[in-house]
Amino acid sequence: GKSCPFAGICAEFCYAKKGAYIWSNVKPAFERRLEATKRKDFVDLMIEEIVKKKADRIRIHDSGDFYSYKYLCKWIIIAKHLPNVQFYAYTKSIPFIRILEDSTYSIPDNLKLIQSYGGLRDYMIDLNKPHAVIFDNLYELKRRGYLDASKDDTVAAKPGNIKIGLVKH
């Protein structure tokens, strides 16, 4: 809950509340990562780490979300500093995206924000922009014309793909 201010129904089946995420040796690591995002030098640390790892594609968050507008802006700065790295993130923090659209912080081409259904602000999702829906089964996902990102979500990072589907697990 700390890092998902707009979580809705998704909180009921959130995979970050079960499995390895709650192991006594894993949970503190996620807490440390969350605290690191609040540091003044977070942007510099992330840029340094990404360059060191020679990453060419980064999924921001495997759990959690953009918990504040300021935190989202940090990732925009990181993406702008690393134009050859493709960044992508699923997010229910749709209000922050709408603020961005009216601000001086433009979303760089190498940062794909995928609006994700299941949050408190689903009514704000723009279906003409990248968005993700969780389906009960693969048949329904394909019937509705969504790309299956259930086993390999790197399809979500690719330009042009705006209808991303995931099967509930």
Side-chain angles (χ1 to χ4, degrees):
K2 291 182 202 174
S3 65
C4 297
F6 300 102
I9 191 74
C10 61
E12 292 178 23
F13 56 87
C14 179
Y15 68 90
K17 290 183 175 180
K18 54 190 169 192
Y21 287 93
I22 61 170
W23 292 351
S24 61
N25 62 332
V26 175
K27 192 173 180 181
F30 280 97
E31 292 291 330
R32 283 192 303 278
R33 290 179 189 167
L34 176 60
E35 290 309 310
T37 67
K38 298 174 184 176
R39 291 174 47 160
K40 288 182 180 182
D41 61 348
F42 173 73
V43 169
D44 293 333
L45 290 172
M46 285 306 301
I47 291 170
E48 182 180 314
E49 189 66 20
I50 292 166
V51 169
K52 184 170 81 174
K53 300 277 187 190
K54 298 179 181 164
D56 60 358
R57 180 175 43 235
I58 303 283
R59 176 177 169 179
I60 304 169
H61 310 128
D62 63 345
S63 63
D65 202 343
F66 299 107
Y67 57 83
S68 71
Y69 177 72
K70 181 178 178 181
Y71 172 56
L72 173 56
C73 289
K74 288 180 181 184
W75 278 105
I76 289 171
I77 294 166
I78 293 165
K80 284 183 176 183
H81 273 83
L82 299 169
N84 295 324
V85 178
Q86 177 63 47
F87 295 87
Y88 68 110
Y90 295 92
T91 183
K92 290 174 178 53
S93 296
I94 312 304
F96 301 148
I97 295 173
R98 296 298 165 260
I99 293 169
L100 276 175
E101 292 171 346
D102 296 327
S103 76
T104 57
Y105 277 106
S106 60
I107 301 170
D109 291 339
N110 65 325
L111 172 58
K112 187 172 185 181
L113 299 174
I114 304 162
Q115 306 161 97
S116 183
Y117 274 95
L120 298 174
R121 300 295 189 274
D122 286 356
Y123 63 91
M124 296 177 78
I125 291 176
D126 182 346
L127 296 177
N128 295 311
K129 294 183 179 176
H131 62 279
V133 177
I134 296 177
F135 293 92
D136 289 327
N137 57 63
L138 185 60
Y139 171 79
E140 187 63 21
L141 179 151
K142 291 190 182 260
R143 188 184 74 73
R144 300 246 325 261
Y146 281 74
L147 292 169
D148 183 15
S150 302
K151 291 186 172 58
D152 178 8
D153 88 333
T154 57
V155 67
K158 294 179 181 173
N161 293 350
I162 66 166
K163 293 175 70 173
I164 309 302
L166 300 148
V167 176
K168 190 184 300 183
H169 60 280

